[in-house]
């Protein structure tokens, strides 16, 4: 296919040329509804518009779902802008603005198609045949129902954040309607992060308290600046904080947007963030003594007594509670009876040698000196000492602040991490090492420090606490407990670790270890090699792929193709024919987000937003601003129809209603649970339950978004001396290890060595898979990074985003450090080949700069390089370096969190 949309063309010529482009494509549904009407009106008629209005809705160009408004003139969207009434305060990023190009993209598909060619491959023509929606629904329902009838796990779904509002319905439809927990999740973002956020802050998303923070250390993330949850909100608050003197240090192999704005960029060898964090902790504890001792005594389990031999927490036999040494009377007793906990020391307890958890942690840190880490990370020891000093001093230990009449401990220092630091083996160690920095200076769950996004909720309206969730406490240790990320229901890591034996329900083995529960990546191996798991869970046979490209969103693309070819039937739901679609059997396109109704895309829980007492609770709406092209349905409508046709409505309704905070009058008897889900009736009940009868669906259609201020005690969970502690000694990880071992031994073992040494109560340095390799021919680490325009969902498929990328010389290139390039005889513009030790290759154009670590090759996103002829704008744009990573090697998994090690060494040569 030669024809390609010019990224720089005007909107009028873009629309006028749509029909011609569709003819070139030669596939069903590539036509533009409203084209003739738009042309008749000449977009903006010389006689003036007949209709001119702004319609509120929600963006879907990335995960954040910002509140926006669409300017519609004579039925044509001519502008998108941020909604000033939303928490994003009228902000819209460049990617959000580009959504107009997705709406009017002539390469979108809008009609269902079935495969006629049984042969499958990336270069094989599927022989798509356009069919009716009734035929598509019947065929999909038949395949899913037959698979589920044989064995529920014969059916699985996969998704990514391109259609995150619909993902909830697909999830509940699979669980409640089809009775399966089988899914395949991309290697996208926060594997390990979410679960350790559960442990440290009660919910799966945490980050800096941007408004009050004065010193931020970022490890492998651009949170709050150019990426991550709610950044359109947090970037403004952090910019204001920077104006007031807040400072930032960024540890990252690549100087992306966050590092470019920092006081200090620290180029670090990939996969070594744990070592740097441990050395900072060493300086705080052993050189500077910059610790919040009051916090360590009263807000952590540091005083908990641990058996020195077994390294397990010791519990009182009578109460089952952890024990402390009470300095007030010299008696060891249950923690909740202790008057003056002892933070340090070793003692005898009924003939057992015990020590406090903090004593063991302090001794453990002795080995991790700044000089020790220098060889591992390449970060100078002096830099570590400077960062530790700045961080500890910025924490303002001992100070308080008053907000809305409540006096709070003020600890304005935060250490944060995300994707770059955890896309590695031993991800759990990185999470504990970095999060413990906040614990040492007393900033975890404190004003200005490391806080959760949605700890508690006392209601969304005055006098209405229908939407309510509390802070939970794990009583045996007094530790804060979790209610997860996507639901306010209690989701205790501790209960799972200590009291619940393993019961496997999916090939992702998410139940095996609780901190792997969300991102069940073992499915990528068990689907192809069930024998490695002793055939506990046979492979799935039918797959529903929602708005994702499973060829490219894991690792080696060839392995992914073979995995997909091994399935009996694949149903795809997307707006484009991606690479993976060439392996699908049925295509059920969804409408563009500007054409579809999806209730409350932000959900209650604020996990797509960001934390902060000045970030309000929010309910929004996504509604059509123009009619859907070819009457194409939304993905939620597709799921609802398939559930209905398979006779599974009641179980589906049960899951949907269980997660909504509904007033009694909207519960039993209000919905006909034997019939297909009525989205508008459900949304109306949710809105009215959360707020009042005046704020129903019709109100949201007119106003778009509702916000309600958070209370101080909802955001800062230690306010008013409320109970709760955070771990500095993670005995629960050892409990998870023992639990997993009992299960694996019970099924006769796995076909690989399960790595129990990854399970440690204290953060421990362990190297990635390829750190020890010293082959001079394979001396470079490829990494990828993201920015606001190239993150989460469709990016280079979009004409405006592609235009920006093409005008930025390094965005579609391989970045290399200038000194490294000189040593290798390479220069900007050279065509190069990257080759893995396993023989996989990718090609790209070199860009030489000072903004990348000397051992690193850096590209944007990492999963680009589309080969689909049906999306010519994105064809061959960017470099899919994840293809270089073997994708089904159990040794590359972090066996505690199911993170996957992207740390590989490659050869780079001139093409």
């Amino acid at each position: 296919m030669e024809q390609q949309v010019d990224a720089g063309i005007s909107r009028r010529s873009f629309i006028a040329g749509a029909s011609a482009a569709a003819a070139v494509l030669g596939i069903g549904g590539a036509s533009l509804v409203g084209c003739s009407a738009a042309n008749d009106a000449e977009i903006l008629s010389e006689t003036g518009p007949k209709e001119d209005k702004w319609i509120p809705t929600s963006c879907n160009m990335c995960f954040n779902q910002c509140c926006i408004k669409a300017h519609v003139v004579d039925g044509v969207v001519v502008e998108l802008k941020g909604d000033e009434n939303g928490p994003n305060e009228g902000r819209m990023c460049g990617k959000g603005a580009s959504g107009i190009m997705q709406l009017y993209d002539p390469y979108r598909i809008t009609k269902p198609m079935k495969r006629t060619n049984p042969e499958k491959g990336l270069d094989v023509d599927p022989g798509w045949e356009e069919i009716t929606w009734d035929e598509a629904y019947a065929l999909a329902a038949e395949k899913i129902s037959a698979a589920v009838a044989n064995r529920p796990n014969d059916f699985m779904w996969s998704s990514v954040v391109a259609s995150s509002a619909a993902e909830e319905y697909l999830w509940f439809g699979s669980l409640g309607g089809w009775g399966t927990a089988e899914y395949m999740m991309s290697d996208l973002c926060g594997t390990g992060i979410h679960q350790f956020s559960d442990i440290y802050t009660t919910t799966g998303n945490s980050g800096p308290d941007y408004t009050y923070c004065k010193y931020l250390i970022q490890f492998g993330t651009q949170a709050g600046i150019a990426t991550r949850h709610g950044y359109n909100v947090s970037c403004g608050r952090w910019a204001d904080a920077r104006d007031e003197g807040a400072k930032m240090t960024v540890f990252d192999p690549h100087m992306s947007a966050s590092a470019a704005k920092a006081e200090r960029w620290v180029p670090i060898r990939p996969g070594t963030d744990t070592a740097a964090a441990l050395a900072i902790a060493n300086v705080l504890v052993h050189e500077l003594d910059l610790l919040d001792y009051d916090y360590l005594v009263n807000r952590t389990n540091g005083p908990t007594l641990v058996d020195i031999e077994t390294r397990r927490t010791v519990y009182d036999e009578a109460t089952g509670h952890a024990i402390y040494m009470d300095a007030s009377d010299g008696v060891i007793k249950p923690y909740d009876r202790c008057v003056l906990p002892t933070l340090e020391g070793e003692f005898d307890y009924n003939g057992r040698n015990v020590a406090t958890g903090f004593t063991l942690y302090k001794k453990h840190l002795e080995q991790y000196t700044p000089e020790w880490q220098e060889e591992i990370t390449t970060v100078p020891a002096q830099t570590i000492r400077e960062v530790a000093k700045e961080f500890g001093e910025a924490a303002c230990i001992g100070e308080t602040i008053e907000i809305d009449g409540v006096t709070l401990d003020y600890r304005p220092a935060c250490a944060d991490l995300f994707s770059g630091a955890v896309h590695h083996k031993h991800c759990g160690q990185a999470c504990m090492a970095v999060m413990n920095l906040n614990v040492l200076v007393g900033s975890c769950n404190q004003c200005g420090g490391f806080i959760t996004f949605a700890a508690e909720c006392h209601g969304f309206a005055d006098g209405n606490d229908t939407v309510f969730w509390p802070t939970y406490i794990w009583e045996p240790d007094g530790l804060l407990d979790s209610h997860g990320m996507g639901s306010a229901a209690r989701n205790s890591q501790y209960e799972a670790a200590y009291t619940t034996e393993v019961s496997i329900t999916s090939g992702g083995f998410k139940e095996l270890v609780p901190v792997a529960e969300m991102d069940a990546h073992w499915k990528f191996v068990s689907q192809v090699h069930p024998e490695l798991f002793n055939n506990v869970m046979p492979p799935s046979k039918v797959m529903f792929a929602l708005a994702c490209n499973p060829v490219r969103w894991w690792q080696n693309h060839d392995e992914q193709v073979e995995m997909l070819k091994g399935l009996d039937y694949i149903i795809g739901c997307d707006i484009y024919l991606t690479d993976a679609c060439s392996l699908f059997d049925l295509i059920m396109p969804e409408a563009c987000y500007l054409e579809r109704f999806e209730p409350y895309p932000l959900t209650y829980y604020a996990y797509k937003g960001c934390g902060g007492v000045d970030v309000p609770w929010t309910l929004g709406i996504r509604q059509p601003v123009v009619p859907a092209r070819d009457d194409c349905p939304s993905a939620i409508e597709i799921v609802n129809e398939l559930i209905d046709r398979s006779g599974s409505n009641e179980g589906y309704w049960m899951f949907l209603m269980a997660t909504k905070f509904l007033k009694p009058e909207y519960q039993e008897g209000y919905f006909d649970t034997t019939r297909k889900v009525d989205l508008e009736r459900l949304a109306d009940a949710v809105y009215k339950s959360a707020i009042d009868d005046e704020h129903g669906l019709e109100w949201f259609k007119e106003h778009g978004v509702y916000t309600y201020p958070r209370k101080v005690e909802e955001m800062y969970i230690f306010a008013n001396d409320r109970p709760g502690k955070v771990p500095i000694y993670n005995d629960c990880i050892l409990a998870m290890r023992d639990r997993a071992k009992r299960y694996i031994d019970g099924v006769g073992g796995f076909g690989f060595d399960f790595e129990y040494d990854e399970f440690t109560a204290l953060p421990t340095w362990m190297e990635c898979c390829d750190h020890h390799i010293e082959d001079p021919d394979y001396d470079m680490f490829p990494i990828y990074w993201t920015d606001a325009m190239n993150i989460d969902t469709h990016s280079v498929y979009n004409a405006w985003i592609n235009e920006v990328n093409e005008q930025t010389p390094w965005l579609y290139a391989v970045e290399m450090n200038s000194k490294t390039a000189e040593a290798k005889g390479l220069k900007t513009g050279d065509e190069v080949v990257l080759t893995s030790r396993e023989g996989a290759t990718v090609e790209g154009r070199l860009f030489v700069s000072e903004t990348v670590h000397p051992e690193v090759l850096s590209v944007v996103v990492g999963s680009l390089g589309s080969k689909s002829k049906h999306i010519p704008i994105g064809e061959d744009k960017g470099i899919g370096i994840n293809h270089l990573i073997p994708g089904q090697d159990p040794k590359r998994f972090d066996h505690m969190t199911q993170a996957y090690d992207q740390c590989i060494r490659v050869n780079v040569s001139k093409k």
Side-chain angles (χ1 to χ4, degrees):
M1 181 180 298
E2 298 298 328
Q3 179 154 342
Q4 181 168 316
V5 173
D6 181 356
I9 62 178
S10 70
R11 187 167 51 80
R12 178 181 299 195
S13 59
F14 175 79
I15 294 176
S19 297
V24 173
L25 277 171
I27 57 173
S31 61
L32 188 61
V33 138
C35 242
S36 59
N39 290 328
D40 289 344
E42 289 296 319
I43 310 299
L44 295 175
S45 167
E46 294 180 2
T47 62
K50 299 181 179 65
E51 182 183 50
D52 188 331
K53 58 185 177 181
W54 287 91
I55 301 175
T57 187
S58 297
C59 188
N60 191 54
M61 288 303 290
C62 83
F63 181 81
N64 290 300
Q65 319 289 309
C66 290
C67 301
I68 63 171
K69 289 181 178 180
H71 190 190
V72 181
V73 177
D74 290 341
V76 176
V77 178
V78 298
E79 182 184 358
L80 300 172
K81 70 176 184 179
D83 190 336
E84 64 278 3
N85 297 312
N88 47 311
E89 299 168 343
R91 294 186 185 92
M92 170 177 272
C93 71
K95 186 168 189 178
S98 75
I100 195 170
M101 296 302 277
Q102 183 185 108
L103 175 65
Y104 292 119
D105 191 336
Y107 297 102
R108 277 176 50 202
I109 53 172
T110 56
K111 296 180 180 179
M113 296 175 286
K114 70 176 182 181
R115 183 184 205 91
T116 60
N117 183 0
E119 183 183 353
K120 291 187 176 183
L122 289 182
D123 298 323
V124 176
D125 182 358
W128 293 120
E129 177 184 299
E130 186 178 308
I131 59 177
T132 67
W133 275 105
D134 188 66
E135 291 173 313
Y137 285 131
L139 187 55
E142 174 192 351
K143 295 295 183 180
I144 294 172
S145 296
V148 169
N150 182 62
R151 185 183 68 104
N153 289 66
D154 277 358
F155 171 74
M156 71 169 173
W157 61 273
S158 66
S159 181
V160 75
V161 298
S163 193
S164 60
E167 183 179 275
E168 175 188 14
Y169 290 80
L170 180 55
W171 197 322
F172 292 152
S174 296
L175 287 169
W178 297 314
T180 176
E182 196 73 82
Y183 63 90
M184 184 172 279
M185 191 65 71
S186 70
D187 186 21
L188 176 68
C189 59
T191 305
I193 289 289
H194 299 309
Q195 291 78 5
F196 277 94
S197 291
D198 283 343
I199 290 172
Y200 282 84
T201 69
T202 78
T203 60
N205 269 342
S206 306
D209 186 2
Y210 292 104
T211 299
Y212 294 100
C213 187
K214 293 300 181 185
Y215 192 90
L216 173 59
I217 305 175
Q218 291 189 321
F219 289 92
T221 180
Q222 299 193 75
I225 288 85
T227 61
R228 198 173 163 193
H229 308 81
Y231 93 89
N232 239 2
V233 178
S234 60
C235 66
R237 284 161 172 74
W238 186 234
D240 291 342
R242 297 295 300 280
D243 284 344
E244 297 298 319
K247 298 184 183 300
M248 180 165 58
T249 289
V250 175
F251 287 82
D252 199 317
H254 178 264
M255 194 178 76
S256 306
S258 178
K261 294 175 174 63
E263 275 69 30
R264 180 189 284 108
W265 168 49
V266 184
I268 187 172
R269 181 177 286 147
T272 64
D273 305 84
T274 301
L278 287 168
I280 293 172
N282 172 286
V283 175
L284 289 170
V285 172
H286 290 291
E287 296 187 14
L288 302 176
D289 196 27
L290 272 173
L291 308 176
D292 189 336
Y293 283 102
D294 182 69
Y295 184 94
L296 290 168
V297 168
N298 297 301
R299 289 299 184 187
T300 81
N301 68 348
T304 296
L305 295 180
V306 178
D307 187 303
I308 294 175
E309 181 179 354
T310 67
R311 297 300 193 187
R312 295 301 306 274
T313 293
V314 180
Y315 293 93
D316 177 68
E317 291 185 5
T319 65
H321 287 188
I323 56 174
Y324 288 3
M325 168 59 78
D326 192 336
S328 70
D329 57 13
V331 176
I332 293 175
K333 60 186 69 169
Y335 78 89
D336 50 341
R337 299 179 187 177
C338 185
V339 176
L340 187 59
T342 301
L343 183 62
E344 295 186 60
E346 297 185 16
F347 313 97
D348 175 81
Y349 177 69
N350 296 335
R352 300 167 70 177
N353 293 324
V354 296
T356 69
F358 182 74
T359 298
L360 296 178
Y361 179 53
K362 185 175 181 179
K363 183 173 181 58
H364 179 71
L365 287 175
E366 289 177 356
Q367 61 190 303
Y368 299 128
T369 65
E371 285 72 24
W372 161 84
Q373 68 81 46
E374 187 167 335
E375 183 177 352
I376 293 169
T377 68
T378 72
V379 177
Q382 183 60 28
T383 299
I384 294 293
R385 288 191 168 90
E386 291 172 359
V387 171
K389 186 174 186 293
E390 293 167 359
F391 182 73
E393 291 177 346
C396 299
I397 295 168
E399 294 188 21
T400 60
I401 189 173
E402 185 173 300
I403 301 177
D404 295 341
V406 179
T407 300
L408 303 163
D409 288 337
Y410 179 53
R411 301 291 179 272
C414 178
D416 194 19
L417 78 164
F418 214 71
S419 302
V422 297
H423 279 175
H424 299 287
K425 195 176 183 69
H426 316 305
C427 151
Q429 306 301 330
C431 293
M432 288 190 287
V434 172
M435 292 183 185
N436 270 1
L437 295 179
N438 300 304
V439 175
L440 287 171
V441 299
S443 71
C444 190
N445 299 306
Q446 301 280 41
C447 180
F450 185 67
I451 60 172
T452 184
F453 287 13
E456 283 192 9
C457 183
H458 300 170
F460 269 38
D462 292 346
N464 181 0
D465 62 356
T466 302
V467 179
F468 178 90
W469 62 85
T471 297
Y472 298 103
I473 302 293
W474 176 248
E475 292 296 343
D477 297 88
L479 294 165
L480 295 171
D481 211 350
S482 172
H483 52 73
M485 183 172 75
S487 168
R490 191 169 188 172
N491 182 34
S492 174
Q493 301 281 344
Y494 297 113
E495 182 177 1
Y498 288 109
T499 69
T500 306
E501 290 302 307
V502 176
S503 177
I504 298 298
T505 64
S506 74
F509 289 80
K510 61 188 180 66
E511 302 87 0
L512 186 62
V513 180
V515 292
E517 185 266 339
M518 183 174 297
D519 297 292
H521 290 151
W522 281 123
K523 181 64 177 174
F524 287 97
V525 180
S526 70
Q527 178 65 21
V528 180
H529 298 292
E531 73 281 358
L532 291 178
F533 298 86
N534 213 351
N535 295 305
V536 169
M537 191 62 65
S540 301
K541 297 180 179 179
V542 174
M543 178 179 182
F544 187 99
L546 171 63
C548 62
N549 186 351
V551 165
R552 295 190 175 274
W553 59 219
W554 183 241
Q555 315 303 341
N556 184 275
H557 304 163
D558 295 336
E559 293 176 350
Q560 284 296 99
V561 168
E562 293 306 308
M563 182 274 291
L564 292 171
K565 288 168 67 174
L567 288 155
D568 292 348
Y569 202 83
I570 306 176
I571 303 158
C573 180
D574 210 322
I575 64 174
Y576 293 112
L577 285 176
T578 66
D579 300 77
C581 291
S582 64
L583 302 163
F584 294 174
D585 298 281
L586 177 66
I587 298 294
M588 304 180 76
E590 69 169 334
C592 172
Y593 71 96
L594 293 167
E595 303 168 329
R596 64 191 189 228
F597 173 66
E598 293 174 328
Y600 39 86
L602 283 169
T603 73
Y604 306 102
Y605 320 114
Y607 77 94
K608 297 175 185 175
C610 63
V613 73
D614 57 347
V615 180
W617 297 115
T618 304
L619 278 176
I621 189 173
R622 176 170 296 124
Q623 62 179 328
V625 300
V626 291
R629 190 188 305 180
D630 294 328
D631 295 321
C632 190
S634 71
I636 296 178
E637 291 174 307
I638 291 171
V639 170
N640 290 350
E641 182 70 23
L642 294 177
I643 289 289
D644 183 52
R645 289 187 179 230
S646 61
S648 304
N649 284 323
E650 292 190 271
Y652 179 38
W653 265 113
M654 179 186 71
F655 270 82
L656 282 176
M657 294 178 65
T659 60
K660 311 305 173 194
F661 294 90
L662 298 174
K663 289 181 176 178
E665 58 263 38
Y666 298 118
Q667 296 180 20
E668 187 173 354
Y670 184 76
F671 302 104
D672 185 349
T673 58
T674 66
R675 300 176 67 85
K676 184 168 64 175
V677 168
D678 184 334
L679 273 182
E680 292 209 351
R681 187 172 175 83
L682 177 60
D684 188 61
V686 167
Y687 292 137
K688 289 178 177 177
S689 294
I691 310 167
D692 55 40
D693 288 345
E694 301 302 316
H695 289 79
L697 178 58
E698 293 307 312
W699 185 94
F700 274 86
K701 286 181 177 180
E702 179 181 352
H703 297 90
V705 58
Y706 168 89
T707 61
Y708 184 71
R710 299 200 208 203
K711 301 176 182 65
V712 172
E713 59 269 25
E714 290 176 313
M715 199 64 251
Y716 302 119
I717 50 184
F718 291 152
N720 301 317
D721 295 322
R722 290 184 298 172
K725 302 173 184 291
V726 297
I728 199 166
Y729 189 87
N730 277 292
D731 180 78
C732 70
I733 302 300
L734 303 181
M736 293 178 191
R737 173 201 64 192
D738 295 345
R739 176 180 180 266
K741 190 175 190 308
R742 287 193 299 272
Y743 174 80
I744 293 172
D745 289 347
V747 298
F750 286 167
F752 58 93
D753 291 331
F754 197 80
E755 298 175 13
Y756 299 108
D757 60 347
E758 289 188 355
F759 295 73
T760 64
L762 296 171
T764 303
W765 165 247
M766 301 177 185
E767 66 177 9
C768 294
C769 291
D770 283 12
H771 278 161
H772 65 283
I773 295 170
E774 297 181 356
D775 187 336
D777 291 331
Y778 296 86
D779 59 345
M780 302 297 293
F781 291 102
I783 67 165
Y784 65 86
W785 57 281
T786 57
D787 63 9
M789 297 289 282
N790 295 279
I791 186 173
D792 288 349
T793 59
H794 309 290
S795 58
V796 297
Y797 303 159
N798 185 291
W800 285 359
I801 295 175
N802 175 64
E803 182 177 9
V804 171
N805 287 350
E806 289 189 333
Q807 291 175 356
T808 309
W810 57 86
L811 275 176
Y812 286 151
V814 180
E815 285 186 78
M816 176 183 279
N817 182 276
S818 57
K819 291 182 179 179
T820 305
E822 182 180 3
K824 291 181 176 292
L826 298 171
K827 63 183 185 304
T828 293
D830 284 347
E831 295 294 324
V832 294
V833 179
L834 280 57
T835 306
S836 72
R837 295 171 65 246
E838 291 74 20
T841 63
V842 296
E843 299 178 2
R845 175 177 48 82
L846 199 67
F847 182 85
V848 174
S849 76
E850 300 292 331
T851 62
V852 64
H853 189 282
E855 300 173 6
V856 163
L857 300 166
S858 179
V859 306
V860 71
V861 178
S863 58
L864 300 182
S866 169
K867 302 300 180 184
S868 175
K869 301 293 183 182
H870 299 298
I871 325 174
I873 293 172
E875 187 178 2
D876 285 326
K877 300 295 172 62
I879 301 157
I881 62 165
N882 63 344
H883 175 61
L884 299 171
I885 308 168
Q888 294 171 358
D889 183 357
K891 292 182 179 179
R892 283 199 166 269
F893 279 84
D894 177 77
H895 291 199
M896 175 167 50
T897 67
Q898 292 197 33
Y900 199 79
D901 196 356
Q902 296 185 351
C903 192
I904 57 170
R905 290 184 185 265
V906 300
N907 171 271
V908 58
S909 60
K910 188 181 293 187
K911 185 176 177 181

